[in-house]
Amino acid sequence: MPLTSRLKADQTPDQKTGLKNDSQQRNELMNRPFNFSAGPAVLPQAVLERASAEMSDYAGSGMSVMEMSHRGKEFIKIAEEAEADFRELLAIPTNYKVLFLQGGAMLQFSAIPLNLCSDGAEVDYLTTGYWSDRAVTEAKRHCRVSLVASGEADKFTTIPRCSQWQLNDKAAYFHYCANETIHGVEFPDIPDVGAVPLVCDMSSTILSRPVDVSKFGLIYAGAQKNIGPAGLTVVIVRDDLLDRARPNIPYLLNYKILADNASMANTPPTYAWYIAGLVFKWVKEQGGLSAMAKLNQRKSQMLYKAIDESGFYKNPVEHNCRSWMNVPFTAPDERLEKLFLEEAKKAGLLTLAGHRSVGGMRASLYNAMPVEGVTKLTEFMADFARRNR
Ligand code: PMP
Protein backbone atom coordinates (compact mmCIF):
# COMPACT_ATOMS: atom_id res chain seq x y z
CA MET A 1 0.00 0.00 0.00
CA PRO A 2 1.56 3.37 -0.94
CA LEU A 3 2.24 5.71 1.96
CA THR A 4 0.00 8.35 0.50
CA SER A 5 -3.14 6.20 0.96
CA ARG A 6 -5.69 7.81 3.22
CA LEU A 7 -6.69 7.06 6.78
CA LYS A 8 -10.22 5.82 7.31
CA ALA A 9 -12.51 8.54 8.68
CA ASP A 10 -14.42 8.13 11.93
CA GLN A 11 -17.00 10.73 12.81
CA THR A 12 -16.79 11.20 16.55
CA PRO A 13 -14.06 11.34 19.18
CA ASP A 14 -13.95 8.58 21.73
CA GLN A 15 -16.30 9.74 24.47
CA LYS A 16 -14.56 7.82 27.26
CA THR A 17 -10.92 8.60 26.57
CA GLY A 18 -11.32 11.97 24.86
CA LEU A 19 -8.61 10.85 22.43
CA LYS A 20 -8.90 12.13 18.89
CA ASN A 21 -10.25 9.87 16.19
CA ASP A 22 -8.53 9.20 12.87
CA SER A 23 -10.21 11.96 10.87
CA GLN A 24 -9.48 14.55 13.55
CA GLN A 25 -5.87 13.44 13.64
CA ARG A 26 -5.69 13.64 9.87
CA ASN A 27 -7.10 17.17 9.84
CA GLU A 28 -4.49 18.17 12.36
CA LEU A 29 -1.74 16.66 10.24
CA MET A 30 -3.06 18.48 7.14
CA ASN A 31 -3.15 21.86 8.84
CA ARG A 32 0.12 21.69 10.66
CA PRO A 33 2.44 24.70 10.72
CA PHE A 34 5.81 24.45 8.95
CA ASN A 35 8.60 23.22 11.24
CA PHE A 36 12.12 24.39 10.34
CA SER A 37 13.84 22.58 13.23
CA ALA A 38 17.43 21.43 12.69
CA GLY A 39 16.65 18.15 14.41
CA PRO A 40 14.67 16.36 15.59
CA ALA A 41 13.03 17.65 12.45
CA VAL A 42 9.91 17.56 10.32
CA LEU A 43 8.87 14.14 9.03
CA PRO A 44 6.87 13.53 5.84
CA GLN A 45 3.17 13.87 6.50
CA ALA A 46 2.46 10.58 4.73
CA VAL A 47 4.82 8.84 7.15
CA LEU A 48 3.06 10.32 10.18
CA GLU A 49 -0.29 9.28 8.76
CA ARG A 50 0.84 5.73 8.13
CA ALA A 51 2.44 5.45 11.57
CA SER A 52 -0.72 6.83 13.10
CA ALA A 53 -2.91 4.32 11.22
CA GLU A 54 -0.64 1.44 12.27
CA MET A 55 -0.10 2.62 15.81
CA SER A 56 -2.18 0.15 17.78
CA ASP A 57 -2.28 -2.77 15.35
CA TYR A 58 0.62 -3.22 12.99
CA ALA A 59 -0.44 -5.23 9.92
CA GLY A 60 -2.95 -7.33 11.83
CA SER A 61 -0.36 -8.41 14.41
CA GLY A 62 -2.48 -7.06 17.29
CA MET A 63 0.54 -5.06 18.50
CA SER A 64 2.06 -1.67 17.94
CA VAL A 65 5.61 -1.83 16.52
CA MET A 66 6.71 -0.40 19.88
CA GLU A 67 5.34 -3.45 21.66
CA MET A 68 6.90 -6.13 19.48
CA SER A 69 9.92 -8.29 20.14
CA HIS A 70 12.81 -7.24 17.97
CA ARG A 71 13.35 -10.95 17.30
CA GLY A 72 9.78 -11.61 16.13
CA LYS A 73 9.06 -12.20 12.46
CA GLU A 74 7.09 -8.93 12.06
CA PHE A 75 9.94 -6.75 13.25
CA ILE A 76 12.65 -8.72 11.42
CA LYS A 77 10.70 -8.05 8.21
CA ILE A 78 10.43 -4.32 9.02
CA ALA A 79 14.17 -4.17 9.77
CA GLU A 80 15.24 -6.05 6.66
CA GLU A 81 12.98 -4.04 4.38
CA ALA A 82 14.27 -0.77 5.83
CA GLU A 83 17.85 -1.84 5.21
CA ALA A 84 17.07 -2.99 1.66
CA ASP A 85 15.35 0.31 0.83
CA PHE A 86 18.18 2.34 2.35
CA ARG A 87 20.75 0.36 0.36
CA GLU A 88 18.73 0.86 -2.80
CA LEU A 89 18.38 4.62 -2.26
CA LEU A 90 22.11 5.14 -1.72
CA ALA A 91 23.19 2.32 -4.07
CA ILE A 92 25.34 0.94 -1.24
CA PRO A 93 27.82 -1.63 -2.59
CA THR A 94 27.62 -5.17 -1.18
CA ASN A 95 31.01 -4.88 0.56
CA TYR A 96 29.52 -2.39 3.04
CA LYS A 97 27.56 -3.20 6.19
CA VAL A 98 24.68 -1.00 7.32
CA LEU A 99 24.19 -0.72 11.08
CA PHE A 100 21.08 0.63 12.85
CA LEU A 101 22.31 1.75 16.26
CA GLN A 102 21.53 3.77 19.35
CA GLY A 103 23.64 6.49 20.94
CA GLY A 104 23.38 9.38 18.48
CA ALA A 105 25.99 10.67 16.07
CA MET A 106 28.10 11.83 19.00
CA LEU A 107 28.69 8.30 20.24
CA GLN A 108 30.28 7.65 16.85
CA PHE A 109 32.83 10.37 17.65
CA SER A 110 34.22 7.80 20.16
CA ALA A 111 33.30 4.58 18.32
CA ILE A 112 35.23 5.59 15.19
CA PRO A 113 38.70 5.90 16.74
CA LEU A 114 38.10 2.86 18.97
CA ASN A 115 37.18 0.77 15.92
CA LEU A 116 39.51 2.12 13.28
CA CYS A 117 42.87 2.74 14.95
CA SER A 118 45.13 1.59 17.76
CA ASP A 119 45.93 3.73 20.79
CA GLY A 120 48.34 6.49 19.78
CA ALA A 121 47.81 6.00 16.03
CA GLU A 122 47.78 9.09 13.80
CA VAL A 123 44.47 10.26 12.34
CA ASP A 124 43.52 13.27 10.20
CA TYR A 125 40.59 15.56 11.06
CA LEU A 126 39.28 18.58 9.16
CA THR A 127 37.41 21.22 11.15
CA THR A 128 34.69 23.16 9.37
CA GLY A 129 32.45 24.02 12.32
CA TYR A 130 30.99 23.07 15.67
CA TRP A 131 30.30 19.38 14.97
CA SER A 132 33.59 18.47 13.33
CA ASP A 133 35.29 20.31 16.19
CA ARG A 134 33.38 18.22 18.75
CA ALA A 135 34.52 15.11 16.86
CA VAL A 136 38.15 16.30 17.19
CA THR A 137 37.79 16.84 20.94
CA GLU A 138 36.55 13.29 21.43
CA ALA A 139 39.09 11.68 19.05
CA LYS A 140 41.94 13.33 21.00
CA ARG A 141 41.02 11.11 23.95
CA HIS A 142 41.78 8.02 21.88
CA CYS A 143 44.46 8.75 19.28
CA ARG A 144 46.89 11.33 17.90
CA VAL A 145 44.81 13.82 15.97
CA SER A 146 46.38 15.93 13.30
CA LEU A 147 44.25 18.91 12.33
CA VAL A 148 44.46 18.97 8.54
CA ALA A 149 42.98 22.49 8.37
CA SER A 150 40.38 24.59 10.17
CA GLY A 151 37.78 27.09 9.03
CA GLU A 152 37.76 28.77 12.45
CA ALA A 153 39.78 31.83 11.38
CA ASP A 154 37.01 32.52 8.83
CA LYS A 155 34.37 31.99 11.53
CA PHE A 156 33.33 28.76 9.80
CA THR A 157 31.89 30.54 6.79
CA THR A 158 33.92 28.53 4.28
CA ILE A 159 35.70 25.24 3.71
CA PRO A 160 39.49 25.63 3.84
CA ARG A 161 40.99 25.20 0.34
CA CYS A 162 42.16 21.59 -0.14
CA SER A 163 45.48 22.87 -1.51
CA GLN A 164 46.16 24.07 2.07
CA TRP A 165 45.34 20.77 3.79
CA GLN A 166 48.23 19.07 5.59
CA LEU A 167 47.37 15.47 4.71
CA ASN A 168 49.18 12.53 6.28
CA ASP A 169 49.24 9.50 3.99
CA LYS A 170 49.96 7.27 7.02
CA ALA A 171 46.79 8.40 8.83
CA ALA A 172 44.49 5.55 9.93
CA TYR A 173 41.59 7.58 8.51
CA PHE A 174 40.49 11.10 7.53
CA HIS A 175 37.40 12.51 9.25
CA TYR A 176 35.19 15.39 8.11
CA CYS A 177 31.60 16.61 8.44
CA ALA A 178 29.81 16.89 5.08
CA ASN A 179 27.33 19.48 6.36
CA GLU A 180 27.81 21.67 9.42
CA THR A 181 24.28 21.96 10.77
CA ILE A 182 24.94 25.10 12.82
CA HIS A 183 26.99 27.17 10.37
CA GLY A 184 25.24 26.00 7.19
CA VAL A 185 28.48 24.99 5.47
CA GLU A 186 28.24 22.00 3.15
CA PHE A 187 30.82 20.24 0.98
CA PRO A 188 29.78 20.51 -2.68
CA ASP A 189 31.96 17.45 -3.51
CA ILE A 190 33.59 14.49 -1.81
CA PRO A 191 37.15 15.38 -0.78
CA ASP A 192 40.00 13.37 -2.32
CA VAL A 193 42.35 12.06 0.38
CA GLY A 194 44.04 9.31 -1.63
CA ALA A 195 44.16 5.83 -0.11
CA VAL A 196 43.41 6.93 3.47
CA PRO A 197 39.90 5.70 4.50
CA LEU A 198 37.45 8.58 4.30
CA VAL A 199 35.14 8.86 7.34
CA CYS A 200 32.21 11.24 7.18
CA ASP A 201 29.60 12.66 9.54
CA MET A 202 26.60 12.96 7.20
CA SER A 203 24.03 13.54 9.95
CA SER A 204 22.40 16.58 8.39
CA THR A 205 22.84 15.86 4.68
CA ILE A 206 22.37 12.12 4.18
CA LEU A 207 19.59 11.29 1.67
CA SER A 208 19.46 14.91 0.48
CA ARG A 209 21.17 13.94 -2.81
CA PRO A 210 22.89 10.93 -4.39
CA VAL A 211 26.35 10.14 -3.04
CA ASP A 212 29.01 7.70 -4.19
CA VAL A 213 29.31 5.49 -1.11
CA SER A 214 32.22 3.56 -2.62
CA LYS A 215 34.46 6.61 -2.04
CA PHE A 216 34.06 6.22 1.75
CA GLY A 217 35.42 3.91 4.39
CA LEU A 218 32.65 4.86 6.80
CA ILE A 219 29.59 7.14 6.81
CA TYR A 220 27.51 7.83 9.89
CA ALA A 221 24.42 9.89 10.61
CA GLY A 222 22.09 10.62 13.49
CA ALA A 223 18.62 9.85 12.13
CA GLN A 224 16.74 12.85 13.46
CA LYS A 225 17.04 15.02 10.32
CA ASN A 226 16.52 13.25 7.00
CA ILE A 227 16.04 9.67 8.22
CA GLY A 228 13.53 9.57 11.06
CA PRO A 229 13.20 10.09 14.79
CA ALA A 230 15.98 10.67 17.31
CA GLY A 231 17.32 7.55 18.97
CA LEU A 232 18.58 5.88 15.80
CA THR A 233 22.02 6.30 14.28
CA VAL A 234 22.95 4.75 10.95
CA VAL A 235 26.50 3.61 10.16
CA ILE A 236 27.65 2.43 6.73
CA VAL A 237 31.03 0.74 7.04
CA ARG A 238 33.28 -0.99 4.51
CA ASP A 239 33.97 -4.66 5.31
CA ASP A 240 37.74 -4.36 5.41
CA LEU A 241 37.52 -1.85 8.30
CA LEU A 242 35.68 -4.26 10.58
CA ASP A 243 38.74 -6.05 11.92
CA ARG A 244 40.67 -3.07 13.32
CA ALA A 245 38.91 -2.59 16.67
CA ARG A 246 41.00 -2.30 19.84
CA PRO A 247 40.86 -5.38 22.08
CA ASN A 248 39.35 -3.42 24.99
CA ILE A 249 36.61 -1.68 22.96
CA PRO A 250 33.20 -1.83 24.69
CA TYR A 251 31.16 -4.72 23.29
CA LEU A 252 28.34 -2.50 22.02
CA LEU A 253 30.68 -0.14 20.17
CA ASN A 254 32.39 -2.89 18.21
CA TYR A 255 31.24 -2.60 14.57
CA LYS A 256 32.16 -6.24 13.84
CA ILE A 257 29.99 -7.51 16.70
CA LEU A 258 27.17 -5.17 15.70
CA ALA A 259 27.42 -6.27 12.06
CA ASP A 260 27.63 -9.99 12.91
CA ASN A 261 24.47 -9.59 14.99
CA ALA A 262 22.57 -7.61 12.31
CA SER A 263 22.48 -4.59 14.70
CA MET A 264 20.76 -6.73 17.35
CA ALA A 265 23.62 -7.35 19.76
CA ASN A 266 21.20 -5.78 22.22
CA THR A 267 17.70 -4.33 21.79
CA PRO A 268 17.79 -1.94 18.84
CA PRO A 269 15.71 1.29 18.67
CA THR A 270 12.83 -0.60 17.08
CA TYR A 271 10.27 2.16 16.65
CA ALA A 272 12.76 4.64 15.22
CA TRP A 273 13.99 1.94 12.83
CA TYR A 274 10.40 1.31 11.69
CA ILE A 275 9.76 5.02 11.09
CA ALA A 276 13.06 5.25 9.20
CA GLY A 277 11.79 2.41 7.01
CA LEU A 278 8.63 4.40 6.23
CA VAL A 279 10.75 7.46 5.42
CA PHE A 280 12.89 5.40 3.00
CA LYS A 281 9.73 4.22 1.24
CA TRP A 282 8.49 7.79 1.04
CA VAL A 283 11.80 8.98 -0.48
CA LYS A 284 11.55 6.18 -3.06
CA GLU A 285 7.99 7.26 -3.89
CA GLN A 286 9.21 10.83 -4.42
CA GLY A 287 11.63 9.57 -7.09
CA GLY A 288 14.68 8.74 -4.97
CA LEU A 289 17.72 10.84 -4.25
CA SER A 290 18.01 12.56 -7.64
CA ALA A 291 14.50 13.92 -7.19
CA MET A 292 15.34 14.93 -3.61
CA ALA A 293 18.47 16.73 -4.83
CA LYS A 294 16.49 18.77 -7.37
CA LEU A 295 13.91 19.71 -4.80
CA ASN A 296 16.46 20.53 -2.11
CA GLN A 297 18.50 22.68 -4.46
CA ARG A 298 15.38 24.53 -5.52
CA LYS A 299 14.18 25.15 -1.95
CA SER A 300 17.57 26.40 -0.78
CA GLN A 301 17.95 28.67 -3.84
CA MET A 302 14.57 30.23 -3.08
CA LEU A 303 15.69 31.04 0.45
CA TYR A 304 19.21 32.27 -0.40
CA LYS A 305 17.72 34.52 -3.08
CA ALA A 306 15.26 35.94 -0.56
CA ILE A 307 18.14 36.64 1.83
CA ASP A 308 20.63 38.03 -0.69
CA GLU A 309 18.15 40.31 -2.45
CA SER A 310 16.55 41.64 0.72
CA GLY A 311 19.17 44.20 1.76
CA PHE A 312 17.95 43.28 5.24
CA TYR A 313 18.87 39.65 5.99
CA LYS A 314 22.37 38.22 5.71
CA ASN A 315 23.93 34.80 5.31
CA PRO A 316 27.73 34.92 5.67
CA VAL A 317 28.63 31.59 4.02
CA GLU A 318 30.74 31.53 0.85
CA HIS A 319 28.41 30.72 -2.05
CA ASN A 320 30.06 27.51 -3.25
CA CYS A 321 29.64 25.81 0.13
CA ARG A 322 26.25 27.07 1.21
CA SER A 323 24.18 24.28 2.67
CA TRP A 324 21.02 23.00 1.00
CA MET A 325 19.83 21.73 4.36
CA ASN A 326 20.50 24.39 7.01
CA VAL A 327 20.35 28.07 6.16
CA PRO A 328 21.42 30.44 8.95
CA PHE A 329 20.60 34.12 8.54
CA THR A 330 20.57 37.30 10.56
CA ALA A 331 18.41 40.44 10.69
CA PRO A 332 19.95 43.91 11.32
CA ASP A 333 19.92 43.62 15.13
CA GLU A 334 18.99 41.31 18.00
CA ARG A 335 15.75 43.12 18.82
CA LEU A 336 14.51 42.55 15.26
CA GLU A 337 15.59 38.91 15.39
CA LYS A 338 13.57 38.37 18.56
CA LEU A 339 10.56 40.04 16.97
CA PHE A 340 11.05 38.01 13.77
CA LEU A 341 10.95 34.74 15.71
CA GLU A 342 7.86 35.77 17.69
CA GLU A 343 5.94 36.87 14.61
CA ALA A 344 7.09 33.87 12.56
CA LYS A 345 5.74 31.52 15.20
CA LYS A 346 2.38 33.28 15.13
CA ALA A 347 2.38 32.94 11.33
CA GLY A 348 2.85 29.15 11.59
CA LEU A 349 6.60 29.12 10.88
CA LEU A 350 8.19 27.20 13.75
CA THR A 351 11.65 26.59 15.22
CA LEU A 352 13.52 29.25 13.27
CA ALA A 353 15.94 30.27 16.04
CA GLY A 354 19.63 29.84 15.26
CA HIS A 355 21.69 27.43 17.38
CA ARG A 356 22.29 28.77 20.90
CA SER A 357 26.03 29.09 20.14
CA VAL A 358 25.52 31.53 17.23
CA GLY A 359 22.08 33.13 17.66
CA GLY A 360 20.21 34.71 14.75
CA MET A 361 17.87 32.54 12.70
CA ARG A 362 18.23 29.21 10.93
CA ALA A 363 15.83 27.47 8.57
CA SER A 364 16.41 23.77 8.08
CA LEU A 365 15.06 22.55 4.76
CA TYR A 366 15.29 18.79 5.07
CA ASN A 367 13.64 16.43 2.57
CA ALA A 368 10.28 16.55 4.34
CA MET A 369 10.00 20.36 4.16
CA PRO A 370 7.66 21.05 1.24
CA VAL A 371 8.27 23.90 -1.25
CA GLU A 372 5.10 25.55 0.15
CA GLY A 373 6.85 25.91 3.51
CA VAL A 374 9.74 27.77 1.90
CA THR A 375 7.36 29.93 -0.13
CA LYS A 376 5.50 30.87 3.03
CA LEU A 377 8.77 31.61 4.83
CA THR A 378 10.16 33.83 2.04
CA GLU A 379 6.85 35.73 1.82
CA PHE A 380 6.88 36.27 5.55
CA MET A 381 10.52 37.42 5.41
CA ALA A 382 9.77 39.97 2.68
CA ASP A 383 6.79 41.32 4.57
CA PHE A 384 8.72 41.51 7.87
CA ALA A 385 11.62 43.34 6.20
CA ARG A 386 9.24 45.84 4.56
CA ARG A 387 7.61 46.62 7.90
CA ASN A 388 10.86 46.90 9.89
CA ARG A 389 13.40 48.66 7.68
N1 PMP B 1 26.86 15.85 13.81
C1 PMP B 1 26.05 16.74 13.23
C2 PMP B 1 26.41 17.26 11.87
C3 PMP B 1 24.90 17.18 13.88
O1 PMP B 1 24.08 18.06 13.29
C4 PMP B 1 24.57 16.64 15.14
C5 PMP B 1 23.31 17.04 15.90
N2 PMP B 1 22.65 18.13 15.52
C6 PMP B 1 25.46 15.74 15.72
C7 PMP B 1 26.59 15.36 15.03
C8 PMP B 1 25.18 15.15 17.08
O2 PMP B 1 24.15 14.25 16.94
P1 PMP B 1 23.47 13.49 18.16
O3 PMP B 1 22.74 14.52 18.95
O4 PMP B 1 22.61 12.49 17.48
O5 PMP B 1 24.55 12.84 18.96
Side-chain angles (χ1 to χ4, degrees):
M1 187 179 25
L3 283 172
T4 37
S5 66
R6 295 290 174 242
L7 294 177
K8 63 182 185 300
D10 288 338
Q11 294 310 309
T12 51
D14 186 309
Q15 297 298 317
K16 268 198 218 132
T17 63
L19 292 176
K20 297 180 180 94
N21 66 29
D22 286 352
S23 68
Q24 285 171 315
Q25 274 177 357
R26 183 170 157 67
N27 275 342
E28 278 187 16
L29 287 171
M30 290 286 287
N31 298 317
R32 292 189 336 144
F34 294 105
N35 174 12
F36 294 90
S37 170
V42 59
L43 285 166
Q45 186 177 307
V47 168
L48 296 179
E49 285 180 18
R50 171 64 74 86
S52 158
E54 293 176 339
M55 178 58 82
S56 54
D57 180 9
Y58 176 78
S61 67
M63 292 177 274
S64 134
V65 175
M66 267 182 273
E67 301 166 304
M68 288 176 180
S69 163
H70 56 295
R71 310 224 181 259
K73 69 174 179 358
E74 289 93 352
F75 187 75
I76 297 287
K77 185 162 177 286
I78 290 171
E80 287 178 353
E81 237 175 84
E83 179 175 339
D85 286 335
F86 185 64
R87 283 184 171 275
E88 187 184 326
L89 281 169
L90 278 163
I92 300 176
T94 50
N95 62 325
Y96 285 75
K97 296 281 185 293
V98 177
L99 308 175
F100 290 83
L101 309 175
Q102 307 199 29
M106 276 187 76
L107 191 60
Q108 295 309 312
F109 295 174
S110 328
I112 287 162
L114 293 175
N115 274 282
L116 301 191
C117 68
S118 53
D119 198 2
E122 293 174 27
V123 293
D124 277 355
Y125 275 69
L126 176 65
T127 309
T128 50
Y130 179 90
W131 289 111
S132 46
D133 188 46
R134 292 290 302 259
V136 168
T137 305
E138 185 57 27
K140 279 182 176 164
R141 295 157 53 91
H142 308 293
C143 45
R144 279 197 289 152
V145 175
S146 160
L147 203 58
V148 168
S150 169
E152 193 170 6
D154 295 309
K155 298 203 172 91
F156 298 128
T157 56
T158 183
I159 294 168
R161 302 273 164 273
C162 46
S163 56
Q164 294 162 5
W165 299 0
Q166 309 278 320
L167 292 171
N168 170 8
D169 58 11
K170 305 239 165 16
Y173 61 87
F174 172 102
H175 178 279
Y176 79 109
C177 176
N179 182 67
E180 286 283 356
T181 320
I182 294 174
H183 310 282
V185 172
E186 182 160 23
F187 278 73
D189 307 300
I190 300 171
D192 179 4
V193 294
V196 172
L198 191 56
V199 173
C200 181
D201 178 355
M202 280 197 195
S203 295
S204 49
T205 186
I206 196 158
L207 300 185
S208 67
R209 61 181 93 188
V211 56
D212 183 354
V213 173
S214 73
K215 293 238 159 68
F216 294 86
L218 186 146
I219 294 170
Y220 65 102
Q224 64 270 25
K225 295 135 193 313
N226 262 342
I227 292 180
L232 171 71
T233 308
V234 176
V235 174
I236 306 168
V237 54
R238 209 172 57 212
D239 283 344
D240 63 289
L241 298 175
L242 290 175
D243 59 4
R244 302 189 182 185
R246 299 177 192 192
N248 60 350
I249 186 172
Y251 179 78
L252 281 179
L253 292 186
N254 187 326
Y255 294 142
K256 171 104 174 59
I257 288 171
L258 295 162
D260 287 349
N261 287 281
S263 304
M264 295 198 193
N266 72 331
T267 314
T270 50
Y271 198 74
W273 193 335
Y274 152 73
I275 297 284
L278 294 183
V279 171
F280 302 152
K281 289 202 184 308
W282 176 82
V283 175
K284 281 172 64 178
E285 282 178 22
Q286 306 312 299
L289 300 190
S290 310
M292 281 295 130
K294 267 195 209 128
L295 196 67
N296 288 325
Q297 188 175 27
R298 177 167 160 223
K299 289 185 296 182
S300 62
Q301 277 172 356
M302 284 164 66
L303 184 49
Y304 286 119
K305 186 166 182 284
I307 294 168
D308 293 341
E309 294 180 357
S310 68
F312 185 85
Y313 305 104
K314 286 200 168 64
N315 168 286
V317 178
E318 202 178 303
H319 285 225
N320 71 342
C321 51
R322 280 177 156 184
S323 172
W324 290 0
M325 295 283 100
N326 312 97
V327 182
F329 57 98
T330 53
D333 60 54
E334 275 184 30
R335 183 192 63 83
L336 284 171
E337 287 172 349
K338 194 162 170 275
L339 188 65
F340 180 98
L341 293 171
E342 281 166 15
E343 289 191 13
K345 190 172 176 192
K346 283 189 197 133
L349 301 163
L350 307 184
T351 342
L352 279 163
H355 189 265
R356 59 189 188 282
S357 63
V358 292
M361 280 83 75
R362 170 178 54 176
S364 294
L365 311 178
Y366 298 122
N367 287 346
M369 172 56 63
V371 172
E372 298 76 54
V374 186
T375 304
K376 188 164 174 191
L377 173 61
T378 52
E379 285 170 3
F380 172 82
M381 287 167 70
D383 180 55
F384 183 87
R386 190 182 45 72
R387 287 185 285 108
N388 291 284
R389 269 183 206 287

